[in-house]
Amino acid sequence: MVLNRGISFGISTIYLATAVRDNGGGIVVGTEIVHDKVVQARKNITEAGLETYVDIREGDALETLKTFNQTVDLVLIDGWTHLALDVLKIINPLIRIGGIVVSDNVNTFKDGLKSYVEFLQNPANGYRTSTLNFKGGTEFSVKVAFIWLRLRTIL
Ligand SMILES: C[S@@+](CC[C@H](N)C(=O)[O-])C[C@H]1O[C@@H](n2cnc3c(N)ncnc32)[C@H](O)[C@@H]1O
């Protein structure tokens, strides 16, 4: 299962859903707060023939993701910077070990994403992470441990 936080008009969702389809199936869950963008994204995704691989949740990701309960393999964080850490914390328990979080524009929005990147860089939070030198900076993070495992070790 792939989670795309902020689908806009569906461009990255189309790429993700194509990869999911070509690798044997699965689902891309996308959130988007702007209704007109949701309408256009649905149109674009349907035109690409990928609608069976996409679940669009319209509304504020902080709300629409609260009821979300599927195991997550890959997350794309590409949206309003001040919400990135809150969104990650909501879905964090659902990201599997070996799951990947890809975050766009971490250098472009260095200040806005500071606490978010620091969360991923702190090994205590269960990730190993690296900033890739793509345009704007892409944080590529792999989950290596659940926090509760660390707590159990300490206790
Ligand atoms: C940079 S765009 C995403 C682009 C998309 N990943 C792509 O490449 O096609 C960020 C999107 O996040 C949406 N957004 C902003 N705040 C949001 C929120 N609280 N919940 C859901 N979506 C939100 C915006 O409306 C915008 O369309």
Side-chain angles (χ1 to χ4, degrees):
M1 212 287 301
V2 176
L3 181 69
N4 187 5
R5 170 20 207 111
I7 64 166
S8 194
F9 298 112
I11 295 168
S12 56
T13 303
I14 286 173
Y15 278 91
L16 292 168
T18 301
V20 162
R21 180 197 62 194
D22 293 352
N23 283 280
I27 194 89
V28 180
V29 175
T31 69
E32 176 54 55
I33 200 167
V34 178
H35 174 71
D36 289 352
K37 287 186 170 183
V38 172
V39 172
Q40 187 61 49
R42 284 193 203 285
K43 191 167 174 287
N44 293 341
I45 290 161
T46 301
E47 275 178 21
L50 293 164
E51 65 277 12
T52 55
Y53 300 97
V54 179
D55 167 9
I56 299 179
R57 294 170 180 225
E58 182 174 348
D60 185 345
L62 296 178
E63 292 303 319
T64 59
L65 293 178
K66 270 185 189 164
T67 55
F68 187 67
N69 59 7
Q70 297 171 57
T71 301
V72 179
D73 302 296
L74 172 72
V75 184
L76 173 62
I77 298 280
D78 179 20
W80 277 207
T81 55
H82 64 288
L83 295 174
L85 185 54
D86 289 339
V87 168
L88 180 61
K89 283 184 174 172
I90 290 174
I91 55 170
N92 196 26
L94 300 169
I95 301 171
R96 68 171 171 84
I97 298 287
I100 292 167
V101 179
V102 179
S103 318
D104 205 15
N105 291 323
V106 294
N107 288 340
T108 305
F109 302 115
K110 221 177 181 71
D111 291 342
L113 289 171
K114 188 170 183 292
S115 58
Y116 171 80
V117 173
E118 281 174 357
F119 178 89
L120 290 165
Q121 286 174 339
N122 182 349
N125 291 320
Y127 287 88
R128 293 295 176 271
T129 192
S130 182
T131 307
L132 306 180
N133 195 24
F134 296 146
K135 189 180 171 197
T138 301
E139 195 70 17
F140 187 90
S141 316
V142 180
K143 192 170 200 172
V144 295
F146 281 113
I147 296 170
W148 69 267
L149 285 178
R150 183 178 61 84
L151 288 174
R152 277 189 73 189
T153 308
I154 292 167
L155 296 171

